[in-house]
Amino acid sequence: MTVYRGYPIAVVMFLSTGLTIGTSQYAFGEFAAPLRDHFGWSQTALNLSLSLAVVSGLVAPLLGRVLDRWGARPVAVISLLLVAAGFLLRPLISSLWHWYLFSALVYAGFPGATSLASGKLVALWFPATRGRVMGAVTSGNNVGGLTMPALAAAMIAAGGWQWGYVAFGSLIALLAVVALFAIREDPDQVDREMHATGRGATAAAARGLAGSGISLAEAVRSRRFWLVLAGLFGATFTYQGVLTQLRQHFGEHGFPPALATTGLAVIAAMGIAAKIVYGRASERWTARRACIVSVALQTVGLVIMALATSVPAMWVGIIVFGMGFGGLGALLLLVVQEAFGMKAFGSIMGVVQMVMIGSLAGGPVLAGWLHDRSGSFTSPFLIIAVLFVAGMLCLAAAGDASPRRPPRQ
């Protein structure tokens, strides 16, 4: 029986997303104490490396242009090698600036190893079911969040923080080699694979989708582009403005440390199923409408968590927030594809990610500053909830693009 090549490609991108996000974000805290003990650095000095996420936004437009011109394989392979290098070099650290330099390398590979390559490859190989497949692929970040901290803890216990980073870098470098041989995106090969595996009905649709849409120059002259950009900008305050602050918020509201960790794990676990559910919903409702639902649930859950005065009420907020948060990673890509097509997906998505520097860098600053002034996260969470509402209104005003629904596989 012939295995459709799209499946191993989807698995590679699932692992790329999971390893990149799981090792660099979710497992970050596992290394904090060992690094502080080894070098005498402060937590503030360590956390400053998180602000280097701006590097991702700065390189995203360049990687997007490379994606449109030369394809997803070089973008994915080079990006994974950058992330791997950022980890493999960390055992050589002897000064704080080394820590920042190697963190910048990891963030430089972030866009290509996660959203950009995945977005193009899923649309190319699964034109009729790209919503649900995109959900499955992007759920890798939730799986990475559940597995990579445990791997880091085990490696640190066995051989120290250096071996933890060696393990991470080695896994990602190995995946880069696999990606080099596994990823294919030639339209003729896609056509042959579809016909050989009984997907001939969608072969023409795949070709049409690959060349559909508008250029970046045409997009920026449209009202829809700015409304979509504003909508996604507001929605993405959830990542650095909310998710990174939740553990402390739970502790300030009576959660013991183990329960606070469980609360975050529940949100991560819910995201696995939610991404597939929202991906499927995007095929029925459109990605834009599914994204509005996702942000609406996050808004309600965040307000409940901000105002909760008891642990049971906080759990209600966690569940509602998790139901919305889980789908956002897949929907960001699908909204852009749906609104502007695949012709210049890389370039347009690169600009979107560059603009998201504001939410990724501004979210934690806003939350931290207001927390220092008020003594709690209530006011910053309520302000972010208002930003969510503004984002939903912009997405609602953007309207749906002309439908480009291929026949079902």
Side-chain angles (χ1 to χ4, degrees), residues 315-340:
W315 274 111
V316 173
I318 288 171
I319 299 300
V320 175
F321 179 82
M323 290 170 59
F325 175 78
L328 190 60
L331 292 170
L332 295 175
L333 300 170
L334 293 168
V335 166
V336 172
Q337 291 181 2
E338 184 180 85
F340 310 110

Side-chain angles (χ1 to χ4, degrees), residues 175-186:
L175 183 62
V177 175
V178 174
L180 179 63
F181 292 98
I183 294 176
R184 294 291 184 273
E185 51 192 313
D186 177 66

